[in-house]
Amino acid sequence: MIIDAHSHVHDPIEPHVALLDQAGVDRAVLFGTRAHPERAVDLASLHREMAVLGQAVGGRANAIEGFRSAWRELDVALAAWPERFIGFGSVPLDLAPGDIAETVAREVGARGWHGVGELTPPPGRAGLIEPVLRAAADHGRLPVVVHGFAPTTADDLKTLAALAVRYPTVPLVVSQLGGLHWMQAVELVRDTPNMYLELSTANIVFAVRLAIKEIPDRTLFGSDAPYGDPVLTRALVERVTGPGEVRERVLGGTMAALLGLD
């Protein structure tokens, strides 16, 4: 099974399904989103959508109504294409720990979603995800995905690794290869057994090659669609790996095992 480990709800959803078909991808992990760059028709409208994205990844968009809107969109996409998409739900990080636990139970667990993410703590405050890890441990060891590209800092990656050590039963996925701090991300994930590294948004080909070489059993193919393209990101993984077990793990085997789909 080929699984794209990182994608966001598209509006409309059908072009995303067509992209998966073109890439030969069986299923995709789908995150809710408040930004929709695929809606943009010119530079001005793209600026508006990217401003929304900047607020989200900077941890400055914690209004509950924004999350409710993203959850609704995700519900619709999953209902329309249950055989293609695997739902993960994000939660606000500025709630009290008990409220975060209740939100994970109500908005992720009760919906039957498969994990939590993509979480976007403000830069320098990755420790805010700890209540989510505690809740994930209490709800069947749900995988937790954290935004890895800018504005995530090198110290944030260290914080994530330290938290992963405290919650060893929870799979903690750093997305987007850790962004500009990819070498440190590879080292931290390599040395922390319950951490995983998702490979989208790589701007250097040998970064993907090296990550897979160092942690072949905990690297995950992902596209970050609509920001990336599953056709191109799958081709990149295949470019830096040979046929066989490692490629199969990266392209879906490891993610299938994490989700209990194998």
Side-chain angles (χ1 to χ4, degrees):
M1 184 183 296
I2 308 298
I3 302 175
D4 181 343
H6 187 133
S7 69
H8 298 271
V9 173
H10 289 44
D11 180 26
I13 196 69
E14 287 74 19
H16 189 186
V17 177
L19 274 177
L20 298 178
D21 289 341
Q22 292 167 20
V25 172
D26 299 297
R27 304 190 72 182
V29 170
L30 195 62
F31 304 127
T33 182
R34 283 153 284 178
H36 283 283
E38 73 282 1
R39 291 174 179 165
V41 296
D42 54 23
L43 190 58
S45 55
L46 181 60
H47 271 302
R48 288 193 292 272
E49 294 297 339
M50 296 306 283
V52 175
L53 176 67
Q55 290 284 324
V57 300
R60 303 188 303 276
N62 282 310
I64 191 63
E65 187 50 46
F67 280 87
R68 288 179 179 138
S69 175
W71 293 332
R72 286 193 295 268
E73 286 187 346
L74 184 54
D75 275 334
V76 170
L78 294 170
W81 294 94
E83 73 282 8
R84 301 305 295 273
F85 294 120
I86 301 163
F88 273 49
S90 190
V91 297
L93 295 176
D94 61 348
L95 303 175
D99 292 334
I100 287 178
E102 290 179 6
T103 303
V104 170
R106 182 179 66 249
E107 305 298 347
V108 178
R111 279 181 159 94
W113 290 347
H114 288 76
V116 183
E118 178 185 16
L119 299 178
T120 55
R125 302 187 67 194
L128 288 174
I129 77 159
E130 183 167 10
V132 179
L133 295 176
R134 189 180 305 121
D138 292 339
H139 289 276
R141 303 171 183 176
L142 294 170
V144 174
V145 180
V146 183
H147 180 79
F149 205 79
T152 299
T153 68
D155 283 342
D156 286 327
L157 295 177
K158 291 180 184 177
T159 298
L160 294 176
L163 289 172
V165 170
R166 290 186 208 169
Y167 298 89
T169 65
V170 177
L172 178 57
V173 180
V174 175
S175 70
Q176 298 134 334
L177 230 171
L180 299 179
H181 311 292
W182 66 267
M183 286 190 286
Q184 184 174 23
V186 170
E187 292 170 345
L188 290 168
V189 171
R190 180 195 63 198
D191 297 338
T192 312
N194 59 314
M195 289 186 79
Y196 296 76
L197 190 59
E198 184 268 312
L199 300 171
S200 67
T201 323
N203 57 3
I204 301 175
V205 172
F206 66 72
V208 177
R209 180 183 292 114
L210 180 63
I212 293 172
K213 184 177 185 294
E214 290 289 324
I215 37 178
D217 57 342
R218 287 183 286 121
T219 40
L220 307 169
F221 152 63
S223 70
D224 201 7
Y227 305 95
D229 187 315
V231 174
L232 299 179
T233 48
R234 178 177 178 178
L236 175 54
V237 169
E238 293 179 338
R239 177 67 174 169
V240 301
T241 60
E245 182 181 355
V246 169
R247 178 187 286 178
E248 291 173 1
R249 285 180 182 177
V250 175
L251 287 177
T254 297
M255 196 67 196
L258 278 180
L259 299 172
L261 302 177
D262 59 343

